[in-house]
Amino acid sequence: MFAKDFVNILKESDFETFFGVPDSLLKSFLFEISNKENTITPNEGNAVAMGCGYYLSTGKIPVIYMQNSGLGNAINPILSLADIYEIPLLFIVGWRGEPDVKDEPQHYKQGILTRKILNCIDLKNEILSNDIKKAKKQLLSAKEYMKKTNKSFAFVVKKNTFEIENSTENIFQDFEISRKDAIEAILKYAPKDSFFVSTTGYISRELYKNSKDNSRNFLTVGSMGHNSSIALSIALNKKDKLIFCIDGDGALLMHMGIIGTIASKSPNNFKHILLNNFVHDSVGAQRTCADIMNFSKIFKGAGYKKVYTIDKLAQLDEVLPQFIKDKELSFLEIKIRPQNGKNLPRPDKTPVENKKNFMEKLNGK
Ligand SMILES: Cc1ncc(C[n+]2csc(CCOP(=O)(O)OP(=O)(O)O)c2C)c(N)n1
């Protein structure tokens, strides 16, 4: 079905307000709601909580959307907020890793468990039909169930449920530096014995593509937002090596509290780099709230010793060598332009092989 038609039937049924974190399977749906009452939250738990606040203040049921990998972030407020206060929420969950559908390794386990997890937390769920008439019926009975019981309901959305439309990705900022330029420059100036922990999505794939030695890279293909925590622990245990954390704005925002922990530990071999394109590029370039934030000030305020922000190609050569030379905890924000990365290669090694090679290199075996 067309996402537009589905959004229309949502509207007819009084579902007009949306909270969530983007997912590539929901791309055309997200495009349709981008000019509606839609809030993209840093993580899926925030979306659940904002949805509860919306219900408290309007009495209306919000729509909460996410990729199934976000269920982990959402479960606490689902169970200890929405459930105990009997606040009904309508969930739209993109089903990555659906059994028998080819997908990436990080989605495999979550895909098998998605409906089991929903059933286990007593969240009634159905697979959303790709036929608009059937979807309408499903929606009406879900609404009736929610009204009657004050419980939540989830629609699980399979790949290609929504027709792929030509949704023009909004090029929000047009900076000189591309993701490739930034990664190439980091690899050029980093000492050859450095290690890299990169974030979920295109950034890891770009690093993978441009690296001569991928055993120096820990490609955090899943667990969005946690690569800086991983890199922090490695930096604390390998003080003689430079550890580069290559973050994205969506990922950083998802679990930003960790920057206080990083600053409190202050490892001077930890090089925190943010490739800020102001959007969730890897899943369709939906805006994060990075455009209103001043990351240099935030990181400085959190306790990082040195902070830099750049947005010009020439600055890569001027600032990167100094940033790398700093003997204190330092942060570098590189403002980059969004860039479709559909053609970027995916790692040819499994996550377990990546771990093995990385550990052997890191631990000198
Ligand atoms: C918990 C969780 N929620 C959502 C996703 C889907 N997802 C994968 S990459 C991505 C966007 C990441 O954005 P950013 O960190 O800014 O990097 P960019 O894609 O812009 O390079 C999202 C939302 C996920 N993998 N995990």
Side-chain angles (χ1 to χ4, degrees):
M1 71 183 147
F2 288 105
K4 195 184 211 139
D5 297 334
F6 182 62
V7 173
N8 278 339
I9 60 166
L10 281 170
K11 197 172 166 213
E12 281 164 27
S13 310
D14 224 17
F15 295 107
E16 299 186 291
T17 302
F18 304 83
F19 303 94
V21 177
D23 171 33
S24 50
L25 295 189
L26 304 177
K27 217 168 169 177
S28 23
F29 167 74
L30 299 176
F31 180 72
E32 290 303 327
I33 62 170
S34 59
N35 57 358
K36 305 237 173 331
E37 282 302 315
N38 175 32
T39 308
I40 296 179
T41 56
N43 72 53
E44 292 79 358
N46 304 133
V48 172
M50 275 196 80
C52 289
Y54 170 79
Y55 178 84
L56 290 174
S57 47
T58 63
K60 288 184 170 189
I61 302 174
V63 180
I64 314 294
Y65 58 83
M66 66 183 72
Q67 181 175 99
N68 53 349
S69 56
L71 278 173
N73 286 333
I75 282 178
N76 177 35
I78 290 175
L79 291 181
S80 67
L81 174 62
D83 212 62
I84 59 161
Y85 287 97
E86 299 191 358
I87 297 177
L89 309 166
L90 177 65
F91 288 92
I92 308 270
V93 182
W95 196 0
R96 296 293 304 262
E98 180 195 340
D100 300 327
V101 176
K102 195 176 171 292
D103 209 331
E104 296 311 305
Q106 65 271 26
H107 297 295
Y108 176 70
K109 199 74 179 244
Q110 306 246 29
I112 293 174
L113 293 177
T114 296
R115 295 200 68 195
K116 286 191 183 148
I117 292 171
L118 294 172
N119 292 334
C120 177
I121 62 169
D122 198 21
L123 180 40
K124 202 169 169 185
N125 61 92
E126 269 175 24
I127 294 170
L128 182 67
S129 172
N130 60 3
D131 176 292
I132 188 71
K133 283 199 188 120
K134 288 187 186 150
K136 188 171 180 176
K137 259 198 182 154
Q138 286 182 296
L139 186 63
L140 292 177
S141 68
K143 187 178 171 186
E144 205 179 293
Y145 166 79
M146 287 192 284
K147 289 272 181 203
K148 210 160 39 191
T149 60
N150 274 345
K151 287 180 164 224
S152 298
F153 188 93
F155 282 119
V156 176
V157 179
K158 290 177 167 215
K159 195 172 175 182
N160 298 331
T161 295
F162 298 116
E163 299 277 338
I164 303 183
E165 291 166 274
N166 276 343
S167 50
T168 31
E169 282 164 13
N170 64 52
I171 296 302
F172 177 56
Q173 298 275 6
D174 199 10
F175 290 106
E176 271 180 38
I177 307 174
S178 68
R179 182 176 51 242
K180 182 170 190 286
D181 296 329
I183 298 246
E184 274 179 352
I186 296 165
L187 289 170
K188 174 172 158 198
Y189 287 110
K192 293 292 158 264
D193 58 353
S194 306
F195 288 86
F196 304 85
V197 182
S198 53
T199 188
T200 314
Y202 289 163
I203 289 176
S204 275
R205 286 166 63 185
E206 189 81 59
L207 179 68
Y208 168 75
K209 181 180 176 191
N210 288 283
S211 295
K212 285 204 180 76
D213 181 1
N214 264 292
S215 58
R216 295 193 167 273
N217 302 332
F218 187 83
L219 307 170
T220 316
V221 290
S223 80
M224 179 175 162
H226 290 304
N227 70 313
S228 54
S229 304
I230 302 166
L232 170 62
S233 263
I234 297 172
L236 291 170
N237 285 302
K238 296 290 171 194
K239 294 216 164 63
D240 58 331
K241 302 196 162 82
L242 284 189
I243 310 300
F244 287 78
C245 164
I246 312 183
D247 230 336
D249 48 304
L252 170 69
L253 288 162
M254 187 166 268
H255 295 297
M256 201 156 113
I258 192 64
I259 70 170
T261 310
I262 296 169
S264 76
K265 301 280 183 192
S266 243
N268 56 20
N269 57 331
F270 183 91
K271 299 284 167 196
H272 203 159
I273 301 178
L274 169 64
L275 300 190
N276 188 5
N277 53 17
F278 303 84
V279 293
H280 290 277
D281 215 5
S282 308
V283 291
Q286 304 86 354
R287 279 166 73 165
T288 64
C289 53
D291 57 308
I292 55 116
M293 300 179 76
N294 184 325
F295 285 110
S296 289
K297 283 193 178 160
I298 291 170
F299 275 72
K300 191 79 189 158
Y304 280 59
K305 301 291 184 300
K306 288 264 184 76
V307 297
Y308 307 83
T309 290
I310 62 174
D311 60 8
K312 300 271 180 305
L313 268 172
Q315 290 174 307
L316 286 171
D317 297 319
E318 287 158 24
V319 173
L320 262 169
Q322 183 54 48
F323 166 75
I324 289 168
K325 240 192 265 158
D326 285 340
K327 294 276 180 291
E328 300 163 296
L329 176 64
S330 42
F331 167 72
L332 167 64
E333 175 189 25
I334 308 177
K335 293 184 180 175
I336 62 170
R337 63 171 182 271
Q339 178 187 33
N340 195 311
K342 269 184 210 137
N343 296 327
L344 284 172
R346 298 192 185 261
D348 64 344
K349 302 268 184 295
T350 66
V352 175
E353 286 165 340
N354 179 205
K355 175 196 73 175
K356 188 170 167 283
N357 296 341
F358 183 80
M359 284 182 75
E360 279 176 8
K361 188 65 70 115
L362 184 68
N363 298 309
K365 281 184 195 137

